Amino acid sequence: METADDEKIITLLERLKTSSENINEDELISILSATVKSCHVPCRDAPEDVPYDATEFENVAREAEMHLCILLRLLDSIHKAKKEGQKFSPQFLKGVIVGCVSVACEYQDSSWEWSNEQAAITSRDILNKLCDICECDNLQILLTGRQVAEDSKEDVDVKRKETDNEDFKGYMKFVLEKLSESLKKTTWKSYPAVKMVYLHMLELLDHRTIGKHLPYLLPPALFITDDWEKSNKALGLSALRHILTKTPSSELRFYGRAAVIFDALKPHLYARDVEVLDKLYPTILEAAKILEADPSLAGKLRSQTQYEVILEQLLREMYGEQKLALRSLYSRTLPEVIAAMGIVALRWSQDLMEIFEDYLATYDGQNAEDRIRILKGIKRYVLECWPQVHVSIPDITKMLVRLVYDITHEDSDVEPKAVNIISQEIEIIVQLLCDAAPQTMLKACHGITTVPCHDKCRSVLERISAIVESKEIK
């Protein structure tokens, strides 16, 4: 700030401290606005295609500490005057709250490159002071006007006493409007702190309050997701998933927003970054769920569902994948996709059997986590497709027997705990197959105990045979 502004601030603070006169709103909002402007994380000088690092913000937090402290002192004066009976205009309070929230949230996390511990503490104090001024319990109530009670989960409606008991709608709309000045598709990368404030504002919104703010929330989530940096993609995907899970499905479908999100996410299915894909699959599955729940699609036979778009690309990526991290991610995702598809997964039985066989036959370490997940995928497939699962029983049975032989062999280094888990999963699958098609299972497992193998393998095979025979007796 300029020296003249510094002198004005010092003069005002001294007068507020010693004078008993009412605060001049115009003078105070002018000084507060100048202080807020000095606090904001500055615009980057580097090109937007260059990732930022801590060196760009080396002195930002230290310089902001003083201005944040000034803001806190100004808010203390407002709070004191309010307690002594001074009434402030709604426009004045809006200007104070919007400016202070937008800047305090930029420093609230000390792990961010432009913040530090002291700046984070002062920022949280500022937010708490704003809540005290408006007689709100927390920031969520201050911005949205409501919260969920911790015990009963009932809606809590907050009234603003100084406005003749009118419903208090919160200041979220005005904060988002201010953020949108910097959070534009062409400029957002120059203001890295703003995207973090945006994400924090988003997390404060739930299913009752998020819908009316979507015009401010959805565009940033889409263009942040479309960025080339992995960290930005992950952040954007987190934002989109929050929007999908918290916004009423009918509202997303009615305005075509769910379709826009799904179409925007499809190209990311070709990504090869674990960090991105880990966020992508739950998000795009949620978008597909909303689209598939459209009542207008009920009873219609379609050549391809949205889930099949996801499964097709997932299976294509799983074929011959060599990177262990990606194999692990894919094996974790496959059961979720099958569960979402339901009986429609029958269309992909042949492809699924090939993937199941490949992943169960491939060594994946002593914990055998990938093979355990694939077994969960087989279990989910049987549960969802049981009316026609008898067709796949011979293939599944061969996979399971081969896996038992592999993990119990004397040369195997699979941990005993993993062996027990795999054995339990196999027994559950056998029980489900027997429930779905007992005669087919009896035929597939005929003579299974006579297979030449070592003792540990024979023990598991005998338990499998016992399960099949017990189902026949019933």
Side-chain angles (χ1 to χ4, degrees):
M1 256 185 280
E2 300 293 335
T3 305
D5 290 334
D6 292 340
E7 292 177 357
K8 288 181 181 179
I9 292 172
I10 294 172
T11 303
L12 178 61
L13 289 174
E14 289 297 326
R15 190 166 75 250
L16 291 174
K17 184 177 180 180
T18 58
S19 175
S20 59
E21 298 179 359
N22 283 353
I23 295 175
N24 184 301
E25 291 185 1
D26 292 337
E27 182 183 13
L28 182 56
I29 200 66
S30 174
I31 297 298
L32 188 140
S33 299
T35 307
V36 166
K37 186 177 180 180
S38 300
C39 283
H40 278 298
V41 177
C43 176
R44 294 183 63 207
D45 294 329
E48 292 185 1
D49 58 347
V50 177
Y52 65 81
D53 55 39
T55 57
E56 288 188 52
F57 310 99
E58 193 170 1
N59 300 316
V60 170
R62 187 165 60 252
E63 294 175 0
E65 286 176 19
M66 179 185 69
H67 302 304
L68 290 171
C69 289
I70 292 173
L71 278 182
L72 187 58
R73 288 186 62 183
L74 292 173
L75 294 177
D76 280 331
S77 300
I78 296 173
H79 187 219
K80 179 182 176 182
K82 193 169 183 291
K83 288 174 66 177
E84 292 175 353
Q86 181 174 353
K87 299 291 184 178
F88 293 102
S89 67
Q91 195 67 22
F92 171 78
L93 288 175
K94 186 184 83 170
V96 170
I97 291 167
V98 171
C100 291
V101 167
S102 63
V103 75
C105 288
E106 291 186 0
Y107 297 94
Q108 64 177 339
D109 191 334
S110 60
S111 65
W112 294 340
E113 290 83 351
W114 49 83
S115 184
N116 60 27
E117 190 63 36
Q118 186 56 50
I121 292 172
T122 308
S123 295
R124 289 191 287 269
D125 290 341
I126 289 173
L127 296 175
N128 291 333
K129 185 61 65 175
L130 290 172
C131 294
D132 293 339
I133 291 172
C134 293
E135 301 178 24
C136 296
D137 292 338
N138 54 51
L139 185 62
Q140 185 180 37
I141 296 177
L142 177 66
L143 296 178
T144 67
R146 54 197 313 175
Q147 72 170 359
V148 177
E150 292 182 1
D151 297 327
S152 63
K153 292 188 178 180
E154 295 177 352
D155 290 353
V156 179
D157 292 324
V158 184
K159 306 291 185 179
R160 186 165 59 183
K161 298 177 182 178
E162 62 269 34
T163 56
D164 300 324
N165 287 331
E166 294 179 359
D167 285 343
F168 176 41
K169 300 299 184 182
Y171 295 94
M172 179 63 77
K173 176 184 176 182
F174 308 113
V175 173
L176 292 176
E177 284 178 349
K178 182 168 181 60
L179 290 180
S180 65
E181 296 173 4
S182 304
L183 203 61
K184 299 177 181 178
K185 187 173 183 178
T186 56
T187 60
W188 70 274
K189 295 199 74 173
S190 298
Y191 302 92
V194 176
K195 69 180 179 184
M196 307 309 295
V197 179
Y198 159 80
L199 190 63
H200 183 61
M201 294 297 105
L202 182 62
E203 291 170 349
L204 295 175
L205 297 167
D206 60 16
H207 66 281
R208 301 155 304 162
T209 54
I210 194 171
K212 57 187 176 183
H213 300 301
L214 279 180
Y216 299 105
L217 299 172
L218 186 54
L222 290 171
F223 60 65
I224 292 175
T225 300
D226 201 38
D227 189 55
W228 64 272
E229 289 187 59
K230 289 189 292 184
S231 59
N232 287 330
K233 284 183 183 291
L235 189 146
L237 289 168
S238 298
L240 285 175
R241 189 178 184 191
H242 186 90
I243 291 171
L244 290 167
T245 55
K246 298 301 181 181
T247 309
S249 301
S250 57
E251 186 173 345
L252 287 171
R253 286 195 301 270
F254 184 77
Y255 294 105
R257 288 165 173 156
V260 169
I261 294 174
F262 187 84
D263 289 340
L265 292 176
K266 280 195 295 185
H268 297 289
L269 289 171
Y270 297 91
R272 300 281 294 168
D273 300 308
V274 175
E275 180 185 356
V276 174
L277 290 173
D278 194 37
K279 298 278 188 181
L280 172 66
Y281 282 115
T283 306
I284 197 170
L285 281 173
E286 192 65 36
K289 176 183 175 182
I290 293 171
L291 292 173
E292 291 298 322
D294 189 344
S296 65
L297 300 177
K300 293 183 178 179
L301 184 62
R302 291 173 291 154
S303 60
Q304 189 178 52
T305 66
Q306 306 292 1
Y307 291 128
E308 290 179 277
V309 174
I310 301 171
L311 180 64
E312 181 180 14
Q313 184 58 34
L314 176 61
L315 295 177
R316 185 178 291 119
E317 297 293 339
M318 293 182 77
Y319 280 121
E321 179 56 58
Q322 299 298 315
K323 290 185 178 180
L324 295 180
L326 285 172
R327 288 178 69 91
S328 180
L329 172 67
Y330 295 149
S331 63
R332 184 171 68 249
T333 304
L334 186 58
E336 299 173 2
V337 178
I338 295 173
M341 291 181 69
I343 199 169
V344 179
L346 272 174
R347 294 178 176 178
W348 298 84
S349 294
Q350 182 176 350
D351 300 279
L352 287 170
M353 292 304 126
E354 293 179 9
I355 290 296
F356 290 155
E357 183 178 8
D358 176 32
Y359 275 64
L360 289 180
T362 304
Y363 176 77
D364 62 330
Q366 296 180 344
N367 294 327
E369 292 180 350
D370 293 349
R371 286 190 276 187
I372 291 173
R373 295 187 187 111
I374 291 297
L375 287 174
K376 293 183 183 297
I378 295 175
K379 182 170 65 176
R380 178 50 58 183
Y381 171 82
V382 174
L383 285 169
E384 300 295 341
C385 306
W386 65 268
Q388 293 293 321
V389 78
H390 64 274
V391 177
S392 302
I393 282 180
D395 293 330
I396 294 176
T397 305
K398 291 176 184 177
M399 296 178 207
L400 299 181
V401 172
R402 190 179 295 114
L403 178 60
V404 170
Y405 185 91
D406 185 25
I407 63 172
T408 57
H409 195 274
E410 59 183 8
D411 294 334
S412 172
D413 66 347
V414 178
E415 294 180 350
K417 182 179 179 181
V419 172
N420 291 334
I421 294 174
I422 290 174
S423 300
Q424 292 171 9
E425 291 290 337
I426 288 175
E427 291 176 20
I428 293 173
I429 293 171
V430 170
Q431 289 176 348
L432 292 173
L433 291 172
C434 288
D435 291 337
Q439 294 302 318
T440 307
M441 272 301 289
L442 183 65
K443 182 178 179 181
C445 295
H446 178 69
I448 194 174
T449 55
T450 62
V451 175
C453 58
H454 40 276
D455 293 340
K456 290 183 180 179
C457 179
R458 181 171 288 105
S459 175
V460 178
L461 296 180
E462 287 174 353
R463 293 204 299 271
I464 292 175
S465 179
I467 294 171
V468 176
E469 291 173 359
S470 68
K471 294 293 182 180
E472 180 193 18
I473 296 174
K474 291 180 180 179

